[in-house]
């Protein structure tokens, strides 16, 4: 892209083609090309147009080939007795580019492109008949001359000549009037339908409003019930707390009583022990004194017994 910006194409003046040659470009309009081909083969009422030709050539390159084929088919269906000869060949195109900046050299580009040449003629030669792309003219059933076609298109604007044409016009008028009446009836029905739809929409809106009111009422009732439930729960929790407090207090009281009893018992035991100690101190045990005394007497009295013997 950068190199293309530095070069400019040299435009060469093309030679004008012959009168019977039609060059088709990619941007060309088909209607203009078809009109030109019909003028060349049939002639026109204008004096400035070229004379009638027996043979014309339609040429196209690359993307414009499809347009050339369409033009040839349309011409063959408008004019009877037209032969078609197709030739596919390659065309060599030379292009020159000159540089915009200094220091660059001219560039020549050669392109080989596919081209199509269609020959439409009324009097083919023997050599044309031997070509592989030779086509016979279309049958008369498939050809519709341009003048008859134009006459048929314009016949609707002419005055009726016969009674049959007048009757057909009257029928058309009746059909139109019927269609108009039917349209009016349909419009009335549409209006009635619209009114019915509006009424239905209103009823639906009322029903929706009633539903919304009911839902709101139910929600309010549910909210009230929830509030009552919450209050009941709070009261129950309060009662439970009071009961717990009372239980704790009772337990504490019982514990205190037990402690007091224990203290009393301990105090009683201590008092009893103190009394026992005092009694022991005051009155030593007699059994020990009695046990000691007889032994001393016996020990002392033994020798006395011996002396008596």
């Amino acid at each position: 892209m950068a190199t293309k910006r530095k070069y400019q194409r040299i435009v060469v003046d093309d030679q004008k083609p012959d009168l019977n040659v039609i060059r088709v470009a990619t941007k060309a309009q088909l209607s203009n090309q078809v009109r030109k081909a019909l003028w060349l083969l049939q002639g026109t009422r204008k004096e400035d147009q070229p004379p009638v030709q027996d043979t014309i050539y339609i040429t196209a390159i690359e993307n414009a080939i499809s347009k050339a084929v369409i033009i040839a088919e349309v011409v063959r269906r408008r004019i009877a007795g037209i032969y078609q000869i197709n030739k596919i060949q390659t065309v060599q195109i030379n292009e020159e580019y000159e540089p915009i900046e200094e220091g660059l050299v001219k560039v020549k580009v050669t392109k080989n492109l596919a081209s199509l040449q269609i020959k439409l003629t009324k009097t083919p030669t023997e050599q044309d008949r031997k070509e592989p792309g030779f086509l016979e003219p279309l049958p008369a059933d498939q050809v519709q001359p341009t003048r008859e076609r134009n006459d048929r298109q314009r016949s609707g604007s002419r005055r009726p000549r016969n009674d049959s044409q007048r009757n057909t016009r009257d029928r058309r008028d009746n059909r139109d009037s019927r269609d108009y009446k039917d349209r009016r009836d349909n419009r009335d029905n549409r209006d009635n339908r619209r009114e019915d739809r509006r009424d239905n929409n209103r009823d639906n809106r009322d029903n929706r409003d009633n539903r919304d009111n009911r839902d709101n009422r139910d929600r309010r009732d549910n909210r009230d019930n929830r509030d009552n439930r919450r209050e009941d729960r709070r009261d129950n929790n309060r009662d439970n707390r009071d009961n717990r407090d009372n239980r704790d207090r009772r337990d504490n009281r019982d514990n205190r009583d037990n402690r007091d009893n224990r203290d009393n018992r301990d105090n009683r035991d201590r008092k009893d022990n103190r009394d026992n100690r005092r009694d022991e101190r005051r009155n030593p045990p007699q059994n020990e004194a009695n046990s000691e005394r007889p032994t001393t007497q016996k020990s002392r009295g033994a020798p006395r017994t011996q002396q008596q013997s």
Side-chain angles (χ1 to χ4, degrees), residues 5 10 13 119 139 159 182 188 220 249 283 286 289:
R5 292 175 183 175
I10 299 172
D13 294 335
K119 181 180 179 181
R159 294 180 180 178
D182 293 333
D188 295 332
R220 287 178 185 174
R249 288 175 185 173
N283 298 316
Q286 295 178 0

Side-chain angles (χ1 to χ4, degrees), residues 24-268:
V24 181
T26 55
K27 296 181 181 180
Q29 293 183 357
L30 292 175
S31 60
N32 295 332
Q33 301 293 334
V34 170
R35 195 177 297 125
K36 184 177 180 181
L38 294 174
W39 287 347
L40 291 172
L41 291 172
Q42 286 183 340
T44 58
R45 299 174 183 176
K46 296 181 180 180
E47 297 178 355
D48 298 336
Q49 295 297 328
V52 179
Q53 303 287 333
D54 291 335
T55 303
I56 62 171
Y57 296 92
I58 301 170
T59 60
I61 298 172
E62 290 291 332
N63 295 327
I65 290 174
S66 60
K67 289 188 176 182
V69 173
I70 292 170
I71 292 166
E73 287 295 326
V74 172
V75 171
R76 288 182 69 196
R77 292 178 186 279
R78 293 289 180 270
I79 301 172
I82 296 293
Y83 295 87
Q84 182 177 349
I85 300 97
N86 299 324
K87 288 184 180 180
I88 299 172
Q89 56 190 1
T90 58
V91 178
Q92 187 175 4
I93 297 173
N94 297 321
E95 294 180 353
E96 292 184 1
Y97 294 90
E98 61 180 1
I100 299 173
E101 299 179 358
E102 295 181 357
L104 298 176
V105 187
K106 289 184 178 181
V107 179
K108 292 183 180 180
V109 179
T110 57
K111 294 180 181 180
N112 294 322
L113 302 176
S115 66
L116 176 66
Q117 183 182 8
I118 300 173
K119 181 180 179 181
L120 299 176
T121 180
K122 294 179 182 179
T123 57
T125 60
E126 293 181 359
Q127 187 177 359
D128 292 336
R129 293 179 182 275
K130 293 178 182 180
E131 292 290 335
F134 178 77
L135 295 175
E136 294 288 339
L138 294 173
D141 299 336
Q142 298 180 7
V143 177
Q144 185 179 0
T146 55
R147 290 181 181 177
E148 291 181 2
R149 183 168 176 271
N150 293 329
D151 291 339
R152 288 179 183 176
Q153 290 178 354
R154 293 173 185 174
S155 62
S157 61
R158 291 180 182 178
R159 294 180 180 178
R161 294 178 182 178
N162 300 324
D163 294 334
S164 62
Q165 291 181 356
R166 289 178 183 174
N167 292 327
T168 53
R169 282 201 172 177
D170 294 334
R171 289 175 186 174
R172 288 179 184 174
D173 294 333
N174 291 325
R175 287 178 185 174
D176 294 334
S177 62
R178 287 177 186 174
D179 294 334
Y180 189 65
K181 287 180 182 179
D182 293 333
R183 288 176 185 173
R184 284 184 180 174
D185 295 332
N186 290 324
R187 286 179 185 174
D188 295 332
N189 291 325
R190 287 178 186 173
D191 293 333
N192 292 325
R193 288 177 185 174
R194 287 177 183 174
E195 289 178 357
D196 293 333
R197 287 178 184 173
R198 287 176 185 173
D199 294 333
N200 290 324
N201 290 324
R202 287 177 185 172
D203 294 334
N204 291 324
R205 287 179 185 174
D206 295 333
N207 292 323
R208 288 179 185 173
D209 294 332
N210 291 324
R211 287 179 186 173
D212 295 332
N213 291 326
R214 288 178 185 172
D215 294 333
N216 291 324
R217 287 178 185 173
D218 295 333
R219 288 176 184 173
R220 287 178 185 174
D221 295 333
N222 290 324
R223 287 180 185 173
D224 295 334
N225 292 324
R226 288 179 186 173
D227 294 333
N228 292 325
R229 288 178 186 173
R230 287 178 184 173
E231 289 177 357
D232 294 336
R233 287 178 185 174
R234 287 177 185 173
D235 294 334
N236 291 325
N237 290 325
R238 287 178 186 174
D239 295 334
N240 291 324
R241 286 179 186 173
D242 295 333
N243 292 323
R244 287 179 187 173
D245 294 334
N246 291 324
R247 286 180 186 174
D248 294 333
R249 288 175 185 173
R250 288 178 185 174
D251 294 333
N252 290 325
R253 287 178 185 174
D254 295 334
N255 291 325
R256 286 179 186 175
D257 294 334
N258 291 324
R259 287 178 186 174
D260 293 336
N261 291 324
R262 287 178 187 174
D263 294 335
N264 291 324
R265 288 177 187 174
D266 293 334
N267 291 324
R268 286 178 186 176

